[in-house]
Amino acid sequence: MDDSTAREQHDVIDLELDRPHSARMYDYFLGGVTNFPADREAAARAIAAFPSTLIAARSNRAFMRRSTRCLAQLGIEQFLDIGTGIPTSPNLHEVAQSVVPRARVVYTDNDPIVLTHARALLRSRPEGATAYMHADVTDPAGLLAHHVLRGTLDFHRPIALSLNALLHFVTDEHHDAHGIVESLKAALPSGSALVVSHATPDFDPEAIARVTAIYRAAGTPVQARTREEIARFFTGWELLDPGLRPILRWRPDPEEAHLTFTDAEAACYAGVARKP
Ligand SMILES: C[S@@+](CC[C@H](N)C(=O)[O-])C[C@H]1O[C@@H](n2cnc3c(N)ncnc32)[C@H](O)[C@@H]1O
């Protein structure tokens, strides 16, 4: 979808302000202003159950920056970011284009509130390109066939697929998360990359059970996965060093303050792999 299409859809979008949305709760955790009372109430309950929710959200953003920079430095110039979230500077294209100005980025999310902020994601450097499309990862065929994606990225050249803090919203109860990821991986050419960060119960199972219950009660099923379950998303691809790690330990940047946090507080694993 181009900018004008985003505006057209904006006119008819139901933002469902009376119920919490995961993107707006996440925005609240990150200190953003694109959230409403229902989101803030659910977010406050999540923070009460798991006070380090804010640390987890910020650690996740920091991983996005480190992994994007790493892949751009390895020469990847195309990025597909699914489950983008409400724009938070720096967005992925700003990080990628700071290394490779001609980087091309397609953002996608299924939350209508993100669509209304798509304009902020479209401020590309002139040498590169960014685009936004409203799509659902649980329909990988539809997502992959989308004209915005096909018109922006070249599927004959490597693409970095970012699934950051997304897959725990794709529960086994309702969908085949691993099958979905395999469909996306199969569409990408050799040399492409898969970037995943994912909530885990491995470090503090009781706290994660509490916060998961709060999301479910708010109408958003969540499934934290074990390291082994998350590792399966990378099947057949080659993990970059240091492998699938607690998110704070994936190529930590000594200048980032979050290094003082614990793995239990960040509560996520993260990894990056390349397609052989
Ligand atoms: C926790 S936010 C993560 C945002 C960003 N990727 C990051 O790591 O900072 C999760 C995002 O995934 C989106 N999302 C959840 N389920 C989705 C689905 N089935 N298809 C596409 N996006 C989805 C939500 O709307 C939300 O914006």
Side-chain angles (χ1 to χ4, degrees), residues 22-23 26 30 57 60-61 64 81-86 108-111 114 135-138 163-166 168-170 197:
S22 63
Y26 188 71
L30 291 172
N60 193 70
R61 274 321 273 183
M64 180 281 286
D81 182 42
I82 307 180
T84 295
I86 292 163
T108 180
D109 203 287
N110 74 341
D111 190 328
V114 181
D136 198 308
V137 75
T138 62
L163 306 175
N164 284 331
L166 168 71
H168 40 249
F169 295 112
V170 183
S197 66

Short mmCIF file of all heavy atoms in Angstrom, two decimals, residues 22-23 26 30 57 60-61 64 81-86 108-111 114 135-138 163-166 168-170 197, ligand 1:
data_model
loop_
_atom_site.label_atom_id
_atom_site.label_comp_id
_atom_site.label_asym_id
_atom_site.label_seq_id
_atom_site.Cartn_x
_atom_site.Cartn_y
_atom_site.Cartn_z
N SER A 22 -2.27 -4.91 21.40
CA SER A 22 -0.88 -5.19 21.79
C SER A 22 0.07 -4.10 21.32
O SER A 22 1.02 -3.74 22.02
CB SER A 22 -0.43 -6.56 21.28
OG SER A 22 -0.45 -6.59 19.88
N ALA A 23 -0.16 -3.54 20.11
CA ALA A 23 0.76 -2.51 19.59
C ALA A 23 0.71 -1.26 20.47
O ALA A 23 1.74 -0.63 20.74
CB ALA A 23 0.40 -2.16 18.15
N TYR A 26 2.38 -1.92 23.84
CA TYR A 26 3.84 -1.90 23.64
C TYR A 26 4.33 -0.46 23.53
O TYR A 26 5.36 -0.09 24.08
CB TYR A 26 4.15 -2.70 22.37
CG TYR A 26 5.61 -2.97 22.09
CD1 TYR A 26 6.34 -3.85 22.87
CD2 TYR A 26 6.24 -2.37 21.01
CE1 TYR A 26 7.67 -4.11 22.59
CE2 TYR A 26 7.56 -2.64 20.72
CZ TYR A 26 8.27 -3.51 21.51
OH TYR A 26 9.59 -3.78 21.23
N LEU A 30 7.03 1.53 25.92
CA LEU A 30 8.20 2.24 25.39
C LEU A 30 8.15 3.74 25.68
O LEU A 30 9.02 4.48 25.24
CB LEU A 30 8.31 2.01 23.87
CG LEU A 30 8.67 0.59 23.44
CD1 LEU A 30 8.56 0.44 21.92
CD2 LEU A 30 10.07 0.19 23.90
N ALA A 57 10.52 -4.71 26.81
CA ALA A 57 10.20 -3.97 25.58
C ALA A 57 11.43 -3.20 25.09
O ALA A 57 11.75 -3.20 23.90
CB ALA A 57 9.04 -3.02 25.84
N ASN A 60 14.11 -5.37 23.65
CA ASN A 60 13.71 -5.85 22.35
C ASN A 60 14.01 -4.82 21.26
O ASN A 60 14.51 -5.14 20.19
CB ASN A 60 12.22 -6.16 22.43
CG ASN A 60 11.78 -6.93 21.26
OD1 ASN A 60 12.13 -8.08 21.13
ND2 ASN A 60 11.05 -6.29 20.37
N ARG A 61 13.71 -3.56 21.53
CA ARG A 61 14.01 -2.48 20.58
C ARG A 61 15.52 -2.41 20.34
O ARG A 61 15.99 -2.19 19.23
CB ARG A 61 13.56 -1.13 21.11
CG ARG A 61 12.16 -0.67 20.88
CD ARG A 61 11.54 -0.96 19.59
NE ARG A 61 11.75 0.00 18.54
CZ ARG A 61 11.19 -0.12 17.32
NH1 ARG A 61 10.41 -1.14 17.03
NH2 ARG A 61 11.42 0.76 16.39
N MET A 64 16.58 -5.03 18.00
CA MET A 64 16.24 -4.65 16.62
C MET A 64 17.36 -3.77 16.04
O MET A 64 17.81 -3.97 14.92
CB MET A 64 14.89 -3.91 16.59
CG MET A 64 14.43 -3.48 15.20
SD MET A 64 15.23 -1.98 14.55
CE MET A 64 14.43 -0.70 15.53
N ASP A 81 9.87 -6.27 7.57
CA ASP A 81 9.64 -6.24 9.02
C ASP A 81 8.16 -6.49 9.28
O ASP A 81 7.32 -5.64 8.97
CB ASP A 81 10.06 -4.87 9.56
CG ASP A 81 9.89 -4.77 11.06
OD1 ASP A 81 10.23 -5.74 11.76
OD2 ASP A 81 9.41 -3.71 11.54
N ILE A 82 7.84 -7.66 9.82
CA ILE A 82 6.44 -8.01 10.08
C ILE A 82 6.15 -7.85 11.57
O ILE A 82 6.93 -8.32 12.41
CB ILE A 82 6.14 -9.46 9.62
CG1 ILE A 82 6.57 -9.67 8.17
CG2 ILE A 82 4.65 -9.76 9.78
CD1 ILE A 82 6.31 -11.07 7.62
N GLY A 83 5.02 -7.22 11.88
CA GLY A 83 4.72 -6.89 13.28
C GLY A 83 5.54 -5.69 13.70
O GLY A 83 6.18 -5.66 14.75
N THR A 84 5.51 -4.68 12.84
CA THR A 84 6.35 -3.48 12.98
C THR A 84 6.09 -2.73 14.27
O THR A 84 7.01 -2.23 14.91
CB THR A 84 6.00 -2.55 11.79
OG1 THR A 84 6.40 -3.21 10.61
CG2 THR A 84 6.63 -1.20 11.90
N GLY A 85 4.83 -2.61 14.64
CA GLY A 85 4.47 -1.80 15.81
C GLY A 85 4.33 -0.34 15.44
O GLY A 85 4.62 0.09 14.31
N ILE A 86 3.88 0.43 16.40
CA ILE A 86 3.74 1.87 16.21
C ILE A 86 5.14 2.46 16.06
O ILE A 86 6.05 2.09 16.81
CB ILE A 86 2.99 2.46 17.43
CG1 ILE A 86 1.54 1.96 17.41
CG2 ILE A 86 3.04 3.99 17.43
CD1 ILE A 86 0.81 2.11 18.71
N THR A 108 5.13 -4.11 7.87
CA THR A 108 3.76 -4.62 7.85
C THR A 108 3.29 -4.93 9.27
O THR A 108 4.08 -5.30 10.14
CB THR A 108 3.63 -5.84 6.91
OG1 THR A 108 2.29 -6.27 6.93
CG2 THR A 108 4.53 -6.97 7.27
N ASP A 109 2.00 -4.73 9.48
CA ASP A 109 1.39 -5.01 10.78
C ASP A 109 -0.09 -5.25 10.51
O ASP A 109 -0.62 -4.82 9.48
CB ASP A 109 1.56 -3.80 11.71
CG ASP A 109 1.46 -4.18 13.20
OD1 ASP A 109 0.34 -4.47 13.67
OD2 ASP A 109 2.51 -4.20 13.88
N ASN A 110 -0.77 -5.93 11.44
CA ASN A 110 -2.21 -6.15 11.25
C ASN A 110 -3.05 -5.25 12.14
O ASN A 110 -4.27 -5.38 12.19
CB ASN A 110 -2.59 -7.62 11.48
CG ASN A 110 -2.56 -8.00 12.95
OD1 ASN A 110 -1.95 -7.31 13.75
ND2 ASN A 110 -3.22 -9.10 13.30
N ASP A 111 -2.40 -4.35 12.88
CA ASP A 111 -3.15 -3.47 13.77
C ASP A 111 -3.47 -2.16 13.05
O ASP A 111 -2.55 -1.48 12.59
CB ASP A 111 -2.31 -3.19 15.03
CG ASP A 111 -3.12 -2.47 16.09
OD1 ASP A 111 -4.02 -1.69 15.72
OD2 ASP A 111 -2.86 -2.70 17.28
N VAL A 114 -1.41 1.02 13.63
CA VAL A 114 -0.09 1.15 12.99
C VAL A 114 -0.27 1.75 11.59
O VAL A 114 0.50 2.61 11.15
CB VAL A 114 0.65 -0.20 12.95
CG1 VAL A 114 2.02 -0.04 12.32
CG2 VAL A 114 0.78 -0.78 14.36
N ALA A 135 -1.15 -6.11 6.70
CA ALA A 135 -1.24 -7.55 6.38
C ALA A 135 -1.09 -8.33 7.67
O ALA A 135 -0.60 -7.83 8.69
CB ALA A 135 -0.15 -7.94 5.39
N ASP A 136 -1.51 -9.59 7.58
CA ASP A 136 -1.51 -10.46 8.76
C ASP A 136 -0.54 -11.62 8.52
O ASP A 136 -0.64 -12.31 7.49
CB ASP A 136 -2.94 -11.00 8.98
CG ASP A 136 -3.12 -11.52 10.39
OD1 ASP A 136 -2.29 -12.35 10.83
OD2 ASP A 136 -4.09 -11.10 11.05
N VAL A 137 0.35 -11.84 9.47
CA VAL A 137 1.35 -12.90 9.29
C VAL A 137 0.71 -14.27 9.27
O VAL A 137 1.30 -15.24 8.76
CB VAL A 137 2.46 -12.80 10.38
CG1 VAL A 137 1.96 -13.31 11.73
CG2 VAL A 137 3.71 -13.55 9.96
N THR A 138 -0.51 -14.39 9.81
CA THR A 138 -1.16 -15.70 9.81
C THR A 138 -1.70 -16.07 8.42
O THR A 138 -2.23 -17.16 8.23
CB THR A 138 -2.28 -15.78 10.85
OG1 THR A 138 -3.28 -14.82 10.52
CG2 THR A 138 -1.76 -15.50 12.25
N LEU A 163 11.09 -10.72 12.51
CA LEU A 163 9.89 -11.13 13.25
C LEU A 163 10.18 -10.85 14.73
O LEU A 163 10.36 -11.76 15.54
CB LEU A 163 9.59 -12.61 13.01
CG LEU A 163 9.49 -13.05 11.54
CD1 LEU A 163 9.31 -14.56 11.43
CD2 LEU A 163 8.34 -12.33 10.82
N ASN A 164 10.28 -9.58 15.04
CA ASN A 164 10.69 -9.19 16.39
C ASN A 164 9.48 -9.03 17.30
O ASN A 164 8.58 -8.24 17.00
CB ASN A 164 11.47 -7.88 16.36
CG ASN A 164 12.89 -8.09 15.85
OD1 ASN A 164 13.46 -9.17 16.03
ND2 ASN A 164 13.45 -7.08 15.21
N ALA A 165 9.48 -9.77 18.40
CA ALA A 165 8.39 -9.70 19.38
C ALA A 165 7.04 -9.89 18.72
O ALA A 165 6.06 -9.26 19.09
CB ALA A 165 8.44 -8.39 20.15
N LEU A 166 7.00 -10.75 17.70
CA LEU A 166 5.75 -11.00 16.96
C LEU A 166 5.21 -12.41 17.22
O LEU A 166 4.02 -12.59 17.46
CB LEU A 166 6.01 -10.83 15.45
CG LEU A 166 4.88 -11.35 14.55
CD1 LEU A 166 3.65 -10.43 14.65
CD2 LEU A 166 5.33 -11.45 13.09
N HIS A 168 5.20 -14.58 19.50
CA HIS A 168 4.47 -15.01 20.71
C HIS A 168 3.01 -14.59 20.64
O HIS A 168 2.21 -15.02 21.47
CB HIS A 168 5.15 -14.53 22.01
CG HIS A 168 5.70 -13.15 21.97
ND1 HIS A 168 7.05 -12.86 22.00
CD2 HIS A 168 5.08 -11.95 21.91
CE1 HIS A 168 7.22 -11.56 21.97
NE2 HIS A 168 6.05 -10.98 21.91
N PHE A 169 2.64 -13.78 19.65
CA PHE A 169 1.21 -13.48 19.42
C PHE A 169 0.58 -14.47 18.44
O PHE A 169 -0.61 -14.36 18.13
CB PHE A 169 1.04 -12.05 18.91
CG PHE A 169 1.46 -11.00 19.91
CD1 PHE A 169 2.56 -10.21 19.70
CD2 PHE A 169 0.74 -10.84 21.09
CE1 PHE A 169 2.96 -9.26 20.64
CE2 PHE A 169 1.12 -9.89 22.03
CZ PHE A 169 2.24 -9.09 21.81
N VAL A 170 1.37 -15.39 17.92
CA VAL A 170 0.86 -16.42 17.01
C VAL A 170 0.87 -17.73 17.79
O VAL A 170 1.90 -18.41 17.89
CB VAL A 170 1.73 -16.50 15.73
CG1 VAL A 170 1.15 -17.52 14.76
CG2 VAL A 170 1.85 -15.13 15.07
N SER A 197 13.02 -12.29 17.74
CA SER A 197 13.06 -12.18 19.20
C SER A 197 11.71 -12.67 19.70
O SER A 197 10.68 -12.48 19.04
CB SER A 197 13.35 -10.75 19.65
OG SER A 197 12.29 -9.89 19.32
C1 LIG B 1 5.29 -6.20 20.69
S1 LIG B 1 5.00 -5.40 19.17
C2 LIG B 1 6.61 -5.51 18.42
C3 LIG B 1 6.96 -4.30 17.58
C4 LIG B 1 8.33 -4.35 16.91
N1 LIG B 1 8.47 -5.50 16.02
C5 LIG B 1 9.44 -4.38 17.92
O1 LIG B 1 10.02 -5.45 18.11
O2 LIG B 1 9.74 -3.37 18.54
C6 LIG B 1 4.11 -6.67 18.26
C7 LIG B 1 3.47 -6.18 17.00
O3 LIG B 1 3.00 -7.32 16.27
C8 LIG B 1 1.75 -6.99 15.70
N2 LIG B 1 1.03 -8.23 15.40
C9 LIG B 1 0.46 -9.08 16.29
N3 LIG B 1 -0.13 -10.10 15.64
C10 LIG B 1 0.08 -9.89 14.31
C11 LIG B 1 -0.29 -10.59 13.13
N4 LIG B 1 -1.00 -11.72 13.20
N5 LIG B 1 0.11 -10.10 11.93
C12 LIG B 1 0.83 -8.96 11.86
N6 LIG B 1 1.19 -8.24 12.94
C13 LIG B 1 0.83 -8.69 14.16
C14 LIG B 1 1.08 -6.12 16.74
O4 LIG B 1 0.04 -5.33 16.17
C15 LIG B 1 2.24 -5.29 17.23
O5 LIG B 1 2.38 -4.10 16.50
#
